[in-house]
Amino acid sequence: MQRRKCIPHLVATDQQKMTDNKTINKLPLIIIAGTPGAGKTSVLVHTIRILKSANRRPALVKIDCLATDDDKRFAKLDLPVLVGLSRDMCPDHYSIYNLDEMKAFAQKNQADALIMETAGLCHRCAPYTENCLGVCVIDSTSGPNNPGKAGPFLSCADIVVVTKGDMISQAEREIFRERILEANPGCNIVDVNGLNGQGAAELAQQFQSFKAGSSVEDKLRHNAPFSVCTLCVGEKRIDKKYHRGLLRTMSGCEQYVGE
Amino acid sequence: MVKIECISIIGGIDKSGKPENITSLDIREGEIIGIVGPTGSGKSQLISDIEQLSQKDSSTRRQVLVNGKVPSPALRNDPRQKMVAQLSQNMNFLADMEVRDFLRLHARCRGKDQISTDEIIYKANQLTGEPIKPNDNLTILSGGQTRALMVADVAVISESPIVLIDEIENAGIKKHEALELLSGHNKLIMIVTHDPVMALSAKKRIIMKNGGMSTLLEATPEEKIVSEQLSGIDATILHLRELLRNGLYIEENDLNFIPESLLCKEENASLTL
């Protein structure tokens, strides 16, 4: 703060940035995470159709790893769509790193909300920020033990969307629901059928009534895993002697190996 | 728990997007309603709408009211408050766990921890051939065993004032015994069926067509008589099924088999005529 006082032009830019951030932070941000094949895109397409019929105009961002066709599905909705491929970077890290760009895209297109679907794969991250509406999509046919294993993308979510409920018995659905509440007691559970859209209206209702959080500098709800090692930066050899970084053995011993 | 006097189904649209023929339908406690129609005509979707207490948010745009009012979200979602038990068409479990653990977990979800799992397994075994054991894994159960366990689970743990049954005649379990187990005093029951015996045992039946509720028929006095006679034929067929299952030869005489219970009923029926 001391230094900023000394350099007037920097103060101005910072203030400019702050106001930019403020207007950009007022834009409701909805982040959708979930396991591959759980039905994130199908659920979203149904939900966004309902939002559109209520005269809402969100911008859509789809993050995937290597390739995606989902932008074609989104394009049919006639809304601004942006696609990002994370390639070598973890898709969750990529989506967090590029959030400002996505917000700018939404603003440039006069969108009234930004809906971002991540590719989230490893279950250790949660892509949700404190200000966003965090939505986790989970497949109920994955079995009642799955919610307990799902990690922060389920336990930090505001809304948990359960898909494929029509494929299991009522009893299994109820047990699955109970297991989700054990992992995330405060969440709102919404059952959505990705094929016919049943339940999407309730989700759309929650999207519409969501107001962006107020913290100026938005933060992640959960930290990304902090163990990084030489494998993260391209080492291909397997033998233990080649590896450096924060490493964990089968017996659970975690240590720093290196200089 | 809310006492169910009546549920109302406000008609939505059929598969072509046209309004359903039946625009409003009230079903009262104690009523048994059949749901019939060709495959793909929307029978299962109708009971799914009732199970979810749909509020114009399903593909059919139907609305379901409880005692004339819009049900609360808790009534729709919380298993402890749920008033609907549903036996779906599913023929297998996907949950990878033992039968006893599954029943215990489900009982806890419905807030009924004190229920005996052995009693449920016993009841299921009355409906199926080879018995289910408490430590069997759910996923190895046969279609019939699964269905029998689902029936017993719905009857005991999900015990609710509204019972929805999708094709109970499937999987070769004892359908009459299963239906008896599911239908308690004054319950509101809806049965999706392709079986004439089941369809005619209901006092009213909804005819489905192209995804919409097309007509509501009330069973005629003549149908009641046909229904009694049909039960006799059905009993003979079930008798033959048991003989075959037990490795016996069938004799011509077996076609004349009518269980005593039905004989008494028929006498009663002719007396009332």
Side-chain angles (χ1 to χ4, degrees):
Chain A
M1 287 310 271
Q2 280 278 291
R3 268 184 64 193
R4 279 181 194 170
K5 266 184 189 166
C6 304
I7 311 167
H9 75 270
L10 254 188
V11 176
T13 355
D14 268 12
Q15 266 175 357
Q16 185 63 43
K17 256 193 180 166
M18 287 287 256
T19 41
D20 269 6
N21 269 346
K22 265 186 190 162
T23 47
I24 234 167
N25 276 346
K26 272 186 195 149
L27 185 77
L29 170 63
I30 299 167
I31 298 182
I32 322 285
T35 45
K40 295 185 290 296
T41 309
S42 299
V43 166
L44 263 185
V45 168
H46 285 293
T47 311
I48 290 165
R49 271 204 202 113
I50 298 167
L51 289 176
K52 267 194 76 180
S53 65
N55 291 321
R56 294 295 181 114
R57 191 181 138 85
L60 313 173
V61 178
K62 165 78 194 187
I63 303 301
D64 229 317
C65 298
L66 301 174
T68 186
D69 287 329
D70 291 342
D71 51 326
K72 286 177 201 144
R73 291 180 70 187
F74 283 145
K76 284 184 192 151
L77 295 166
D78 194 26
L79 288 169
V81 179
L82 184 67
V83 169
L85 294 179
S86 67
R87 301 276 177 187
D88 279 329
M89 198 174 169
C90 157
D92 278 341
H93 297 192
Y94 175 86
S95 58
I96 294 157
Y97 177 66
N98 288 295
L99 206 51
D100 281 345
E101 253 179 274
M102 298 175 202
K103 285 180 180 173
F105 168 78
Q107 222 170 26
K108 200 182 82 193
N109 285 284
Q110 280 109 41
D112 51 27
L114 170 62
I115 301 179
M116 190 246 288
E117 180 190 333
T118 73
L121 294 170
C122 77
H123 294 193
R124 295 177 304 166
C125 289
Y128 320 123
T129 70
E130 281 172 2
N131 281 349
C132 86
L133 180 71
V135 183
C136 165
V137 180
I138 186 164
D139 171 354
S140 63
T141 66
S142 62
N145 295 328
N146 202 35
K149 292 188 279 191
F153 80 96
L154 186 134
S155 61
C156 297
D158 301 301
I159 299 174
V160 177
V161 176
V162 180
T163 58
K164 305 186 195 178
D166 57 323
M167 292 173 71
I168 56 173
S169 61
Q170 189 188 34
E172 286 168 287
R173 275 203 299 279
E174 290 173 4
I175 291 174
F176 198 76
R177 187 190 156 83
E178 191 80 2
R179 282 285 163 93
I180 291 170
L181 289 173
E182 277 170 19
N184 184 346
C187 74
N188 228 324
I189 301 178
V190 184
D191 288 291
V192 181
N193 180 326
L195 297 179
N196 63 22
Q198 186 157 2
E202 198 177 329
L203 189 60
Q205 188 59 46
Q206 301 206 24
F207 280 16
Q208 283 196 63
S209 55
F210 169 67
K211 300 269 182 299
S214 56
S215 64
V216 177
E217 195 176 358
D218 205 1
K219 278 189 192 144
L220 282 178
R221 291 184 198 181
H222 194 276
N223 66 282
F226 47 78
S227 278
V228 284
C229 68
T230 31
L231 287 164
C232 304
V233 291
E235 177 61 73
K236 285 171 91 176
R237 290 170 297 182
I238 291 165
D239 202 291
K240 260 208 166 76
K241 68 184 177 203
Y242 297 116
H243 300 294
R244 301 286 180 273
L246 199 53
L247 298 160
R248 190 181 167 85
T249 62
M250 286 288 282
S251 57
C253 173
E254 197 151 327
Q255 58 176 344
Y256 174 72
V257 180
E259 285 173 28
Chain B
M1 197 183 270
V2 184
K3 188 178 179 326
I4 308 290
E5 278 151 11
C6 167
I7 62 163
S8 317
I9 309 169
I10 316 288
I13 49 171
D14 66 11
K15 283 185 183 170
S16 322
K18 292 191 190 115
E20 291 183 88
N21 257 350
I22 299 180
T23 49
S24 171
L25 178 65
D26 288 350
I27 306 165
R28 301 191 176 279
E29 61 173 340
E31 277 193 310
I32 301 180
I33 311 276
I35 301 171
V36 294
T39 50
S41 59
K43 302 185 294 296
S44 297
Q45 181 59 44
L46 177 61
I47 59 170
S48 159
D49 280 339
I50 299 168
E51 201 259 338
Q52 309 264 322
L53 300 176
S54 286
Q55 298 303 316
K56 302 183 178 174
D57 54 357
S58 71
S59 54
T60 62
R61 305 265 169 265
R62 286 187 191 113
Q63 187 176 27
V64 181
L65 305 178
V66 177
N67 298 336
K69 287 185 200 131
V70 175
S72 70
L75 224 48
R76 293 182 70 184
N77 299 319
D78 184 356
R80 283 174 189 77
Q81 295 193 34
K82 234 173 184 173
M83 312 158 305
V84 187
Q86 183 194 21
L87 178 74
S88 60
Q89 269 192 52
N90 302 48
M91 298 282 264
N92 46 358
F93 283 112
L94 294 173
D96 187 13
M97 56 171 74
E98 287 183 5
V99 170
R100 193 192 295 143
D101 295 341
F102 169 77
L103 293 173
R104 240 182 239 147
L105 250 177
H106 188 215
R108 212 176 74 203
C109 294
R110 283 255 178 179
K112 292 178 183 168
D113 299 78
Q114 73 288 0
I115 278 173
S116 144
T117 53
D118 288 341
E119 185 201 326
I120 302 167
I121 296 170
Y122 172 80
K123 284 189 168 152
N125 283 336
Q126 304 303 302
L127 306 174
T128 183
E130 302 271 325
I132 302 160
K133 291 187 281 301
N135 57 348
D136 278 344
N137 200 295
L138 279 180
T139 49
I140 64 137
L141 299 183
S142 74
Q145 286 176 319
T146 301
R147 206 99 176 112
L149 189 61
M150 283 178 181
V151 169
D153 173 273
V154 167
V156 182
I157 296 176
S158 306
E159 209 269 317
S160 309
I162 302 171
V163 183
L164 308 170
I165 303 165
D166 204 348
E167 297 190 16
I168 203 167
E169 64 268 23
N170 280 354
I173 61 164
K174 296 174 184 160
K175 61 185 178 188
H176 296 288
E177 286 85 343
L179 192 60
E180 200 176 315
L181 188 57
L182 289 170
S183 46
H185 176 67
N186 247 2
K187 286 191 178 183
L188 188 163
I189 299 169
M190 299 186 81
I191 313 173
V192 169
T193 187
H194 290 290
D195 181 343
V197 184
M198 289 283 147
L200 285 175
S201 66
K203 285 213 176 87
K204 291 178 188 169
R205 57 185 189 270
I206 301 169
I207 320 297
M208 300 298 296
K209 210 173 166 186
N210 190 34
M213 298 182 288
S214 158
T215 339
L216 178 73
L217 295 184
E218 214 157 313
T220 63
E222 195 176 341
E223 279 181 344
K224 259 183 208 164
I225 300 165
V226 173
S227 172
E228 297 276 356
Q229 287 170 348
L230 203 52
S231 295
I233 298 170
D234 191 52
T236 309
I237 291 173
L238 291 179
H239 174 65
L240 293 178
R241 186 177 82 177
E242 286 311 310
L243 293 177
L244 284 164
R245 276 176 167 177
N246 290 315
L248 298 172
Y249 285 108
I250 302 296
E251 294 159 5
E252 206 178 341
N253 194 30
D254 290 325
L255 284 177
N256 300 323
F257 170 85
I258 293 174
E260 270 177 41
S261 59
L262 275 176
L263 278 175
C264 302
K265 253 194 204 166
E266 268 183 7
E267 273 165 24
N268 287 342
S270 49
L271 275 178
T272 48
L273 283 175

